[in-house]
Amino acid sequence: MLISSMLIPLLQASPWALFIGRFHPVLVHLPIGFLLIAALIEIGRRTGKISVSESTVVFVLFWSAVSATFACIAGYLLSLGGGYDEDLLGAHMWKGIGVAVFAWVAWLVKSDRLAGKISFGKVVYLPAFAVAVLLTMTAGHDGGSLTHGDGYLTQYTPEPFRSLAGMDPIEEKAKEIKPITDVQQALVYKDIVQPILEARCTQCHNASKKKGDLRMDELALLMKGGENGPALVAGKGAESDMIKRCLLDESDDNHMPPKGKPQLSTEQIALLSWWIDQGAPADKKVSELTVPDQVKPALASLGGGSATGGSGGAKQKESAIATLKVSPAKESDIQALRKAGLIVNTLSQDQNLLEVSAVNAPQFSDKDIALLLPVAEQVTWLKLGGTQITDSGLKEIAKLKNLTKLHLEHSGVTDQGIAQIKSLPHLEYLNVIDTKMGDAGLKNIASMKGLRSIYVWQSGVTDSAVAQAAKQSPGLQIVNGFSEAEVAQFLKAGDSTAAGKPVATKK
């Protein structure tokens, strides 16, 4: 340990150390494979099942020892990046070193170099070999815990083995946010923020694995920050590191969560930023905080699935594109969108469908719509709220035939533009809050068969038009207001309207 503490200051600043260290997950599989192969060969030889020369065993043992040594070196260099539980890391390191040491011992006493030259060689061989194999397994367990959290390998141990080992019953951890019955009475941190962090962040920022020396599994530790300083600045969401990293290009090394991990949706980012803007309170309810218009749809989405109508217990209707599979978008086309300031996330790896959001690109306008056309087949969620989009741009958006969710809030669209997207065959959600769309636009769009919900408050739509559209399309949810009482009623209904009636308010 003294040698380790002396080397750390020398190697930490070297990019080469971290570069080589990241090959540890690759190298560590080599000694595992070689040792298990050697064990199987020995068992086969000693039981008479196979006929293999001892030189073959010696050859495999040699490479198991060599690869274990290189894996140890790479593992040590990887540990210099920090962010790991020190006790667990120490146990993993010494077990890994033990694998290498005992593999070398087994090879030496089995090889021509020492075999027959020392009297106790045969006695040492099998115990050394067995210890190397055993340590490989236990070190692998620790490695899994370091990477994925404590108890990762044993988390889902089934019965009766779980009871025999004295383990607690399995606790199912929700990986997505559970629907909230009454969002206005929800505690913002406990019921909204913490579930988002648990679903997307704490896998790498917990008690066992503290990447960047940051923990996000407890509020006090999140507020404390990590090696790069505070993760958030209370009252300033846009200036908070945890928000800025989420908005970076996914290919950026500083983007969080890392590329390949499940990403935060734009609604989740908006909710986290809003919570920080409100001072990152620990025990405030939604009803006790100021809720900007742009955050209200994100809060409403926490109420659960979208029903087809009728009672609140109705099951969510499967999306028309649930089984659709398209070809992957070209990386050059995705990069062009990101260069324009858009956020591009993959919604489904096996379907290759995309979410494109301009939450970080308010300057996006009609002339930029051409960037979407090369990925017209892949885009199914498009968020252009708060941009410079007008009716002219909607003519091109109508070419995105697999679009299911479209955000146009706080934009310059009118009835004329809305009429152009009526041809979208799979559109299910439309947000035209604070636009110039009026009664004619609502009447036109309400007849779309696939449309499930439309948000029209602060637009040119009147209450009488909402009532008429509700009669025309009883399964359509029309939200024309957002008072606290109505939101609670709306969410209790499970994102449907009681008896097909719209949610509306006097304006």
Side-chain angles (χ1 to χ4, degrees), residues 319-321 403-405 426-430 450-453:
S319 174
I321 62 166
L403 206 59
T404 59
K405 181 183 290 187
H426 305 308
L427 190 65
E428 300 170 358
Y429 171 102
L430 178 63
L451 194 63
R452 301 180 189 176
S453 57

Side-chain angles (χ1 to χ4, degrees), residues 1-19:
M1 296 303 286
L2 178 60
I3 294 175
S4 298
S5 63
M6 292 171 61
L7 284 175
I8 287 177
L10 295 175
L11 296 175
Q12 260 185 335
S14 170
W16 277 102
L18 296 178
F19 171 73

Side-chain angles (χ1 to χ4, degrees), residues 408-419:
L408 297 171
E409 63 270 22
H410 312 296
S411 68
V413 300
T414 68
D415 291 342
Q416 183 180 357
I418 293 299

Side-chain angles (χ1 to χ4, degrees), residues 28 94 119 143 165 171 185 243 332-333 369 396 471:
V28 78
W94 288 113
S119 58
E171 293 184 9
Q185 297 305 310
I243 300 299
S332 58
D333 294 332
I369 291 293
E396 298 300 308
K471 292 179 182 179

Side-chain angles (χ1 to χ4, degrees), residues 177 180 183-184 186-198 267-268 271-272 274-275 285-286 298-299 302:
I177 300 174
I180 300 174
V183 74
Q184 292 296 304
L187 292 170
V188 179
Y189 175 72
K190 180 182 177 182
D191 298 328
I192 298 176
V193 173
Q194 190 174 32
I196 293 175
L197 299 180
E198 288 178 349
E267 285 92 348
Q268 290 172 333
L271 289 170
L272 292 178
W274 165 66
W275 170 67
K285 296 180 180 179
V286 172
L299 284 173
L302 299 177

Side-chain angles (χ1 to χ4, degrees), residues 370-440:
L371 295 172
L372 292 168
L373 299 184
V375 293
E377 185 182 32
Q378 290 82 15
V379 177
T380 187
W381 290 4
L382 182 59
K383 301 179 180 181
L384 300 178
T387 64
Q388 307 301 312
I389 292 297
T390 67
D391 293 342
S392 178
L394 291 186
K395 183 178 180 180
E396 298 300 308
I397 290 175
K399 298 177 181 179
L400 279 58
K401 297 301 182 182
N402 290 326
L403 206 59
T404 59
K405 181 183 290 187
L406 178 60
H407 283 257
L408 297 171
E409 63 270 22
H410 312 296
S411 68
V413 300
T414 68
D415 291 342
Q416 183 180 357
I418 293 299
Q420 298 182 80
I421 63 171
K422 187 178 178 180
S423 61
L424 290 171
H426 305 308
L427 190 65
E428 300 170 358
Y429 171 102
L430 178 63
N431 191 326
V432 287
I433 295 171
D434 187 29
T435 66
K436 295 180 180 179
M437 190 192 86
D439 294 351

Side-chain angles (χ1 to χ4, degrees), residues 108-123:
L108 283 171
V109 298
K110 189 73 170 177
S111 68
D112 294 336
R113 296 175 182 271
L114 291 180
K117 297 180 181 180
I118 55 175
S119 58
F120 56 87
K122 291 184 178 181
V123 177

Side-chain angles (χ1 to χ4, degrees), residues 227-239:
E227 64 183 21
N228 294 318
L232 60 90
V233 180
K236 300 179 180 180
E239 297 179 21

